């Protein structure tokens, strides 16, 4: 490589900002980068017989199961002692939680911001967060993402107090003005909001709601339709103004679907494939399988992640989410936010 | 119906129960009643009088037994129903939502006098917790907890929650591997007696890896003779996901864990771990091979030990050599290879199978 050639991290930053690279070629270089630096990943790939010399396609890059992040192994492409952030998967105190080590938040923050903008999602100038304020749970990747998307440091925008109570007066005041707003939340907190304010709260026309996470932890049957219905009833925001985020602790990038029953779309620096849970082989297009993501923003850890979420892939950049494998252990941002279940509004 | 008549009818129908209870005849039933109640006529006052012997107590069958059964295997349902029939109680079987085809197809073949004592439904009867009797529940912790909270004190509540079994190899590893493969593979680990882990004693005459390899060979052979049932996407995914996680771990720490697996599918999986901590299998012929702890057994095996149903040992030391293992808390200790075939008299979860159902009236 010429001395003045950009480094791989620089190339990925550039790709994220300007979508000016060939994903397939860059993905193979990221694999070689991680194979060289990520000791547990290299050992795993060698066990499988896959090395940078044998892998010819991004589809053949070995994915790491999310459960591997629960092992006492540093799945990172830098000396683990240099980690400045450790994102933890949700879980109770008795459960082993997955650990995603990051040396810094640079690529993560760039991916969050560019992913949001390039997806054509609404501006965050009048954003409100049904979440505790930044710093409450620094191990939460969702809290970090919210903080990155927040347009200012106004503490009033965080609608759950550190002790878990809803503090909705600022939202009521914002809703009384005509300016459309954007409300970020987990699905569970939206359902709890409906309970907390039975009469609802009409958001200004043109407002948006961002929701993410599953519904486990509730002692009632909840479907995606239930949540969209709840949002419409409680906040008067129709499904076509609702953004669903697919993200996870082990991924630095996110996928978004706008409206009910629509596909999730990935940013250009991320690809998806589905694998047959019986064999691990790629599933045919539109056939349900475990989703495997290849996220170049995961440069500091491992780019290929095998989930236990079922989905149907439309193309390399879009998929329909069928849901969490019912046999898998519960996880998800919503569940993590259980600790902040408000006791009163 | 007298006890004599009932035993005759049940014995005549033993063929319907045998695949799930083991074979039995009238004599076996008499021995069970005698072992549990002291006398086969204890339940029927008229018979007591006919026996012309002084009576100090009479057993009463419950007014109704509600059996809430799970869908993983039909064994528990047949065993529980057999006990209910033996004591002569009206039985109501609450089936899982997915049904229980083996039981549903067997019931019409029962002698009418027995059949008419059995009601079946997919939903709980409305008066399930208002009529006195016995409620027997097979299910997961959530199910057990729900019934425990909703069953008022006058109703006797018997819970059979999540259970697992383990094997212990003390020697003769080749033969032990064959027996263990059978215990693990039968019924695809869906039952409470299914073996989830096989422990290898330090004096077994073989290393953990060597035994895991032997067990893998026997698992393959058993599967060739008796293929595992089909799996859902979720069940198969659980296996492939676990395999990759173990492979990831073992690649960095081969001394901690290693994997043996069926080629080209998820038919069977053997996972060797250095840590003796007992972990539930994800089922469908996935088994752990672990070292039997040399020090204090109970802490080393960990909290999952509270779910232990059966400890199966090879070679079986006989009753005199078992005292050291009783403290692990199983409701049964048996020879490896026999795990899945408890006798009728088995105290499932440590509970007397017949005596737990009846009430006594003392006389005099």
């Amino acid at each position: 490589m010429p001395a003045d050639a950009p480094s791989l991290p620089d190339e990925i930053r550039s790709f994220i900002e300007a979508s000016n690279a060939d994903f397939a070629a860059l993905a193979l270089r990221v694999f070689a980068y991680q194979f060289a630096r990520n000791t547990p990943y290299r050992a795993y790939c060698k066990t499988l017989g896959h090395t940078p010399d044998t892998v010819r396609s991004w589809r053949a890059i070995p994915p790491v199961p999310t459960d591997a992040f629960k092992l006492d192994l540093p799945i990172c492409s830098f000396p683990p002692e240099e980690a400045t952030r450790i994102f933890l998967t949700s879980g109770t105190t008795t459960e082993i939680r997955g650990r995603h080590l990051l040396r810094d938040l640079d690529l993560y923050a760039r991916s969050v911001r560019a992913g949001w903008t390039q997806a054509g999602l609404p501006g965050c100038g009048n954003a409100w967060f049904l979440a505790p304020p930044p710093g409450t749970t620094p191990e939460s990747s969702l809290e970090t993402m919210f903080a990155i998307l927040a347009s200012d440091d106004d503490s009033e925008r965080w609608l759950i107090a550190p002790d878990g109570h809803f503090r909705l007066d600022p939202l009521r005041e914002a809703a009384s003005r005509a300016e459309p707003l954007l409300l970020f939340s987990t699905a569970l907190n939206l359902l709890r909001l409906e309970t907390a304010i039975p009469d609802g709260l009409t958001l200004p026309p043109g407002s948006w709601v961002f929701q993410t996470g599953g519904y486990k932890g509730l002692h009632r049957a909840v479907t995606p339709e239930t949540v969209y219905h709840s949002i419409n009833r409680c906040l008067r925001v129709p499904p076509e103004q609702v953004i669903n985020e697919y993200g996870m602790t082990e991924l630095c990038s996110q996928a978004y679907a706008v409206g009910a029953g629509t596909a999730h779309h990935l940013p250009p620096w991320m690809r998806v494939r589905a694998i047959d849970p019986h064999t691990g082989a790629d599933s045919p297009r539109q056939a349900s399988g475990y989703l495997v993501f290849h996220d170049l923003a995961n440069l500091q850890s491992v780019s290929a992640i095998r989930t236990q979420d079922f989905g149907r892939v439309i193309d390399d950049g879009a998929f329909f989410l069928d849901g969490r494998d019912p046999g898998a252990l519960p996880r998800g941002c919503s569940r993590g936010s259980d600790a902040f279940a408000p006791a009163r509004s | 119906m007298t006890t004599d008549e009932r035993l005759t009818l049940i014995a005549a129908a033993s063929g319907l129960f045998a695949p799930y209870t083991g074979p039995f005849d009238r004599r076996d039933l008499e021995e069970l009643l005698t072992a549990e109640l002291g006398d086969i006529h204890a339940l029927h006052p008229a018979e007591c009088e006919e026996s012309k012997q002084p009576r100090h107590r009479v057993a009463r069958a419950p007014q109704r037994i509600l059996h809430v059964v799970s869908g993983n295997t039909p064994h528990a349902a047949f065993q529980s129903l057999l006990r209910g029939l033996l004591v002569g109680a009206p039985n109501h079987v609450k089936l899982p939502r997915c049904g229980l085809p083996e039981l549903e197809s067997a019931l019409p073949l029962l002698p009418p006098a027995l059949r008419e004592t059995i009601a079946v439904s997919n939903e709980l009867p409305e008066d399930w917790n208002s009529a006195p009797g016995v409620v027997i529940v097979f299910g997961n912790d959530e199910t057990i907890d729900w019934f425990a909270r909703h069953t008022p004190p006058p109703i006797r509540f018997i819970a059979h929650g999540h259970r697992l079994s383990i094997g212990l190899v003390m020697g003769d590893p080749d033969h032990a591997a064959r027996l263990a493969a059978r215990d693990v593979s039968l019924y695809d680990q869906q039952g409470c007696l299914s073996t989830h882990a096989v422990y290898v004693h330090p004096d077994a005459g073989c290393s953990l890896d060597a035994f895991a390899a032997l067990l893998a060979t026997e698992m393959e052979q058993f599967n060739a003779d008796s293929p595992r049932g089909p799996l859902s996407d979720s069940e198969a995914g659980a296996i492939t996901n676990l395999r990759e996680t173990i492979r990831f771990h073992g690649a960095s720490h081969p001394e901690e864990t290693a994997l043996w697996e069926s080629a080209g599918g998820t038919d069977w999986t053997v996972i060797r771990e250095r840590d003796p901590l007992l972990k539930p299998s994800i089922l469908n012929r996935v088994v752990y091979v672990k070292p039997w702890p040399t020090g204090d057994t109970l802490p080393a095996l960990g909290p999952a030990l509270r779910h232990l149903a059966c400890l199966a040992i090879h070679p079986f030391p006989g009753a005199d050599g078992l005292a050291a293992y009783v403290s692990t808390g199983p409701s049964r200790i048996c020879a490896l290879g026999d795990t899945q075939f408890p006798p009728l008299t088995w105290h499932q979860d440590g509970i007397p199978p017949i005596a737990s159902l009846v009430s006594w009236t003392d006389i005099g």
Side-chain angles (χ1 to χ4, degrees):
Chain A
M1 186 173 71
D4 58 350
S7 68
L8 187 59
D10 284 340
E11 284 190 69
I12 293 172
R13 284 186 201 101
S14 174
F15 188 14
I16 289 173
E17 305 293 350
S19 301
N20 57 353
D22 173 10
F23 175 88
L26 206 49
L28 291 175
R29 290 180 56 204
V30 167
F31 174 52
Y33 178 95
Q34 295 176 338
F35 186 90
R37 291 166 175 80
N38 189 327
T39 306
Y41 185 50
R42 178 171 62 247
Y44 176 59
C45 292
K46 282 184 172 177
T47 298
L48 295 172
H50 295 320
T51 72
D53 291 333
T54 63
V55 171
R56 296 279 180 257
S57 160
W58 66 267
R59 293 178 173 279
I61 296 171
V64 174
T66 51
D67 281 347
F69 285 81
K70 297 177 180 175
L71 300 170
D72 188 18
L73 289 170
I75 306 177
C76 54
S77 299
F78 58 88
E81 62 274 16
E82 293 180 12
T84 62
R85 289 299 285 269
I86 300 176
F87 290 145
L88 300 181
T89 57
S90 58
T92 66
T93 52
T94 58
E95 291 172 327
I96 299 172
R97 301 170 71 179
R99 303 165 76 244
H100 189 189
L101 278 64
L102 295 176
R103 180 151 53 187
D104 58 62
L105 287 179
D106 178 63
L107 273 180
Y108 182 82
R110 288 173 189 269
S111 179
V112 167
R113 289 195 196 98
W116 184 269
T117 305
Q118 293 180 28
L121 300 173
C124 298
N126 191 19
W128 300 81
F129 299 88
L130 202 58
T136 309
T137 51
E139 74 277 12
S140 163
S141 59
L142 183 66
E143 179 193 295
T144 303
M145 177 191 168
F146 284 174
I148 290 168
L149 288 172
S151 58
D152 55 40
D153 295 330
D154 184 356
S155 61
E156 290 292 291
R157 296 189 180 278
W158 303 87
L159 305 171
I160 296 180
D163 66 3
H165 293 119
F166 278 151
R167 40 180 299 279
L168 298 176
D169 286 346
L171 181 64
R172 289 192 176 96
E173 190 179 325
S176 69
R177 299 191 290 266
E179 182 186 2
L181 58 82
L182 169 56
L183 178 64
F184 287 85
S185 179
T186 64
L188 278 183
N189 277 334
L190 284 168
L191 293 170
R192 290 174 178 136
L193 178 68
E194 187 184 27
T195 304
I197 46 172
D199 295 335
L201 174 65
T202 301
L203 299 189
S207 292
W208 291 79
V209 170
F210 166 108
Q211 55 122 340
T212 188
Y215 325 120
K216 288 200 173 180
L218 290 178
H219 294 288
R220 61 186 172 111
V222 174
T223 65
E225 292 72 27
T226 308
V227 179
Y228 284 100
H229 188 64
S230 170
I231 293 169
N232 200 5
R233 192 171 50 224
C234 179
L235 301 170
R236 311 292 189 269
V237 174
E240 58 270 22
Q241 295 283 113
V242 175
I243 302 157
N244 180 268
E245 185 240 18
Y246 178 91
M248 58 173 55
T249 302
E250 299 86 349
L251 290 172
C252 288
S253 302
Q254 299 79 33
Y256 296 105
V258 177
T262 58
H264 284 79
H265 293 268
L266 302 171
W269 57 91
M270 196 178 189
R271 294 283 190 273
V272 63
R273 59 194 179 95
I275 58 172
D276 183 334
H278 296 260
T279 65
D282 273 15
S283 297
R285 283 276 157 84
Q286 304 275 17
S288 184
Y290 276 162
L291 296 172
V292 173
F293 292 96
H294 296 256
D295 181 7
L296 301 188
N298 264 29
L299 182 70
Q300 295 178 9
S301 52
V302 64
S303 66
I305 301 291
R306 171 188 167 134
T307 76
Q308 285 181 279
D309 292 322
F310 281 114
R312 290 161 289 135
V313 169
I314 303 169
D315 58 42
D316 297 343
F319 63 94
F320 284 107
L321 181 64
D322 292 332
R324 179 87 178 140
D325 180 351
L329 288 172
R331 52 174 285 143
C333 306
S334 269
R335 192 159 172 262
S337 73
D338 283 357
F340 299 99
R344 61 178 186 272
S345 59
Chain B
M1 192 188 315
T2 67
T3 302
D4 274 328
E5 291 166 344
R6 206 162 51 243
L7 294 188
T8 300
L9 290 173
I10 295 171
S14 69
L16 296 173
F17 289 90
Y20 312 103
T21 62
F24 61 84
D25 56 22
R26 183 189 163 101
R27 184 181 174 84
D28 296 317
L29 299 177
E30 289 178 1
E31 287 179 358
L32 174 58
L33 283 182
T34 302
E36 289 282 302
L37 306 180
D39 178 342
I40 71 162
H41 298 301
L43 272 156
H44 199 275
E47 291 175 69
C48 295
E49 289 167 11
E50 288 165 12
S51 69
K52 308 269 186 221
Q53 291 181 1
R55 288 279 157 191
H56 300 292
R57 57 179 188 165
V58 173
R60 287 177 283 111
Q63 293 185 29
R64 179 176 69 180
I65 301 176
L66 172 64
H67 311 261
V68 180
V69 300
S70 60
N72 48 351
T73 72
H75 294 69
F78 276 92
Q79 290 165 7
S80 190
L81 180 60
L82 175 63
R83 295 164 191 157
L85 292 173
L86 270 173
V87 299
N91 294 275
H92 190 115
V93 183
K94 192 274 177 194
L95 300 172
R97 287 200 181 89
C98 58
L100 201 57
E102 296 89 344
L103 185 72
E104 292 171 88
S105 59
L107 291 180
L109 305 178
L110 285 172
L114 291 179
R115 176 67 186 88
E116 67 188 19
T117 69
I118 304 168
V120 176
S121 68
N122 291 96
E123 303 294 335
L124 276 176
E126 283 189 8
D127 65 341
W128 77 269
N129 60 355
S130 58
V134 177
V135 172
I136 304 170
V137 180
F138 296 86
N140 59 28
D141 291 346
E142 195 174 16
T143 302
I144 298 287
D145 182 57
W146 189 90
F147 276 96
R149 284 186 284 112
H150 291 85
T151 305
I155 300 177
R156 194 174 300 176
F157 177 57
I158 300 174
H160 296 291
H162 177 61
R163 292 288 180 269
L164 54 78
S165 296
I166 60 175
L168 172 58
V169 178
M170 307 283 287
D172 188 16
D174 291 271
H175 190 203
R178 193 169 315 128
L179 297 170
R182 170 182 158 91
D183 278 352
V184 172
S185 301
L186 276 173
Y187 315 121
D188 299 342
Q189 294 177 301
Q190 299 296 314
C192 59
L193 285 170
S194 294
T195 299
H196 288 225
V198 181
Y199 284 84
V200 180
H201 194 278
D203 300 329
C206 119
S207 70
L208 275 185
D209 274 13
F211 183 78
L214 287 172
L215 180 57
T217 301
E218 295 296 340
M219 294 288 288
E220 175 69 25
Q221 184 59 49
F222 193 97
N223 191 66
D225 298 336
S226 303
R228 192 201 54 203
L231 299 188
S232 68
D233 285 351
S234 179
E235 290 170 319
I239 294 173
T240 54
N241 191 67
L242 176 64
R243 282 180 174 182
E244 293 314 311
T245 304
I246 295 295
R247 203 185 320 278
F248 192 96
H249 192 193
S252 289
H253 293 296
E255 75 286 0
E256 296 283 348
T257 189
L259 180 69
W260 287 256
E261 60 193 313
S262 54
T266 57
D267 294 332
W268 58 265
T269 306
V270 175
I271 299 165
R272 186 269 296 153
E273 289 190 335
R274 187 176 67 171
D275 186 349
L277 184 73
L278 177 59
K279 291 194 289 194
S281 163
I282 55 169
L283 311 184
N284 297 304
R285 301 189 179 179
V286 175
V287 63
Y288 291 94
V289 171
K290 289 171 169 279
W292 187 253
T294 51
D296 199 349
T297 305
L298 300 185
L301 267 56
L305 202 58
R306 69 188 173 92
H307 298 294
L308 186 62
C310 181
L311 169 63
I313 304 174
H314 182 83
F316 192 60
D320 294 340
L322 295 176
Y325 302 106
V326 172
S327 63
T328 57
S331 61
R332 183 166 171 248
I333 299 176
C334 69
L336 197 63
D338 290 345
T339 305
Q340 300 283 5
F341 304 102
L344 279 180
T345 52
W346 173 41
H347 292 72
Q348 185 169 5
D349 295 341
I351 300 168
I354 301 297
S356 61
L357 302 179
V358 304
S359 299
W360 290 96
T361 298
D362 290 348
I363 299 171

